[in-house]
Amino acid sequence: MVFSVRDLAQMRFAVSPMWEVGPSLRLLRSGVVHPVHRRWAEQVRPRLAAAGLDRGRLAELVPPSGYVPDFLNPTPAAPVADLAEEVDGILATPPERVRRDLDRLRREQGGLGPRTEALYARPEARLAGVAEEIRSYWELALAPYWARIRAVLDADVAHRARQVAERGAAHLLGGLHASVRWDEDTLRLPRRPSALSRPTAGRGLLLIPSVFTGPVPFTRVTPPDPPQLAYPARGIGSLWETPSGDGGEALAAVLGRTRARLLTELDTPASTTELARRTGLSPAAVSESLTALRSAGLTTAHRAGRAVLYARTAAADAVLAAAAAAGR
């Protein structure tokens, strides 16, 4: 894909929730024990099966391999897209565009599932069901972990922006991934199944770091939108690591023993009932403490079916790490 000065001037980064939805769902449904994401997958797969999302509308649109309909990845308008905004973009997809993408999916997969056939017949009526499943999947599989994921994505963008400032855009593009090469004025993606040209790909380039995309970058080409290149973010290997030392004892003097204990227990997202079982506290005491921690920005709450999962925020991880370091 050849770059002009104008293309380089229009190149930008964006963080996109939908670029985590599709690849993460594909990983969960594969049954593969992923060396990096194993801990996350073991927590989420049972929730996915219980909610029936491993066999619903969205699952039919995200096959085990190959093409995913482009309308599921609308162009992010801001540096950090919001899931609600991206879902609105999906709902606004013209019916003819939905059918064009599904025609390609049918060709590449050798057919469509029954729910996808129904979507093809009436996109204007069936897209709402897809959007609802996306929201449900997000709350169940990604929202409790989003602070942790965002920290990795933001760090990747900061690192690469610094590369541009210090060594130029050519160094950035040449170092995105082992399968991506920058050659004078041309970006080469040898593993892409078909060639990219500016008349068919649109202007500029939108670079999207992702923790679930891999092992090679994905592309989305839908002119007149800029082409999107979703690549594996740096630092994925540390995504699910926990702070060394729990820091609970040091925090107890500040937060109180109950709240400090709950923060350390939220190494993985959990419900009030589960936390009460683990700690021996009453559900009422757990709920009261979690409310206080949430008000302080140390936890978040996300509905997963009938349960509400509480998760630590990035700020809480930093506080625990600092307390653990101070206690050593």
Side-chain angles (χ1 to χ4, degrees), residues 1 179-183 185-191:
M1 183 165 60
S179 67
V180 178
R181 300 201 319 269
W182 175 255
D183 180 14
D185 62 349
T186 304
L187 187 68
R188 302 188 184 278
L189 303 164
R191 297 189 187 183

Side-chain angles (χ1 to χ4, degrees), residues 113-191:
R115 297 173 181 83
T116 309
E117 287 285 9
L119 174 63
Y120 188 95
R122 297 185 61 198
E124 62 284 353
R126 305 288 185 179
L127 270 179
V130 175
E132 185 57 37
E133 284 202 9
I134 290 171
R135 296 188 194 101
S136 297
Y137 177 80
W138 175 262
E139 287 299 315
L140 181 151
L142 294 174
Y145 310 90
W146 186 238
R148 188 175 289 214
I149 292 170
R150 268 290 307 275
V152 171
L153 300 179
D154 290 346
D156 179 273
V157 172
H159 169 79
R160 297 186 192 279
R162 187 173 182 84
Q163 281 187 318
V164 175
E166 294 180 349
R167 305 184 67 177
H171 180 80
L172 161 74
L173 291 169
L176 276 175
H177 190 268
S179 67
V180 178
R181 300 201 319 269
W182 175 255
D183 180 14
E184 294 185 350
D185 62 349
T186 304
L187 187 68
R188 302 188 184 278
L189 303 164
R191 297 189 187 183

Side-chain angles (χ1 to χ4, degrees), residues 146-151 297-300 311-320:
W146 186 238
R148 188 175 289 214
I149 292 170
R150 268 290 307 275
L298 298 177
T299 64
T300 57
R312 277 199 315 246
T313 63
D317 283 340
V319 167
L320 280 168

Side-chain angles (χ1 to χ4, degrees), residues 32-315:
V32 171
V33 180
H34 195 281
V36 172
H37 300 301
R38 176 176 183 170
R39 185 177 171 202
W40 167 83
E42 287 176 346
Q43 295 172 38
V44 174
R45 275 193 180 116
R47 301 179 207 155
L48 193 75
L53 291 174
D54 57 342
R55 52 189 182 276
R57 298 178 181 89
L58 187 60
E60 285 190 8
L61 289 169
V62 181
S65 62
Y67 175 71
V68 173
D70 290 326
F71 69 81
L72 290 178
N73 295 104
T75 301
V80 179
D82 178 82
L83 180 75
E85 295 170 350
E86 292 196 314
V87 170
D88 287 344
I90 293 169
L91 289 170
T93 308
E96 62 273 15
R97 169 65 192 286
V98 174
R99 292 191 178 101
R100 185 166 69 247
D101 287 357
L102 295 184
D103 280 335
R104 178 178 171 184
L105 183 65
R106 179 187 283 111
R107 288 194 305 271
E108 296 197 8
Q109 295 296 322
L112 298 176
R115 297 173 181 83
T116 309
E117 287 285 9
L119 174 63
Y120 188 95
R122 297 185 61 198
E124 62 284 353
R126 305 288 185 179
L127 270 179
V130 175
E132 185 57 37
E133 284 202 9
I134 290 171
R135 296 188 194 101
S136 297
Y137 177 80
W138 175 262
E139 287 299 315
L140 181 151
L142 294 174
Y145 310 90
W146 186 238
R148 188 175 289 214
I149 292 170
R150 268 290 307 275
V152 171
L153 300 179
D154 290 346
D156 179 273
V157 172
H159 169 79
R160 297 186 192 279
R162 187 173 182 84
Q163 281 187 318
V164 175
E166 294 180 349
R167 305 184 67 177
H171 180 80
L172 161 74
L173 291 169
L176 276 175
H177 190 268
S179 67
V180 178
R181 300 201 319 269
W182 175 255
D183 180 14
E184 294 185 350
D185 62 349
T186 304
L187 187 68
R188 302 188 184 278
L189 303 164
R191 297 189 187 183
R192 194 175 191 278
S194 58
L196 286 172
S197 67
R198 282 300 173 184
T200 60
R203 288 292 175 190
L205 180 65
L206 187 56
L207 297 170
I208 301 177
S210 169
V211 302
F212 290 105
T213 294
V216 296
F218 292 161
T219 53
R220 183 253 201 193
V221 180
T222 53
D225 294 346
Q228 298 182 29
L229 177 63
Y231 63 90
R234 297 174 73 253
I236 296 173
S238 63
L239 178 59
W240 308 116
E241 289 180 359
T242 59
S244 57
D246 61 26
E249 287 300 317
L251 280 184
V254 179
L255 299 178
R257 286 196 171 276
T258 296
R259 292 171 188 175
R261 172 74 186 281
L262 290 174
L263 273 188
T264 59
E265 288 290 338
L266 284 175
D267 181 41
T268 59
S271 66
T272 300
T273 302
E274 185 177 353
L275 289 168
R277 179 183 58 78
R278 284 192 216 161
T279 61
L281 298 166
S282 70
V286 171
S287 180
E288 181 182 355
S289 294
L290 288 173
T291 300
L293 291 170
R294 187 180 180 188
S295 297
L298 298 177
T299 64
T300 57
H302 309 276
R303 181 163 292 282
R306 296 182 179 179
V308 174
L309 295 178
Y310 289 86
R312 277 199 315 246
T313 63

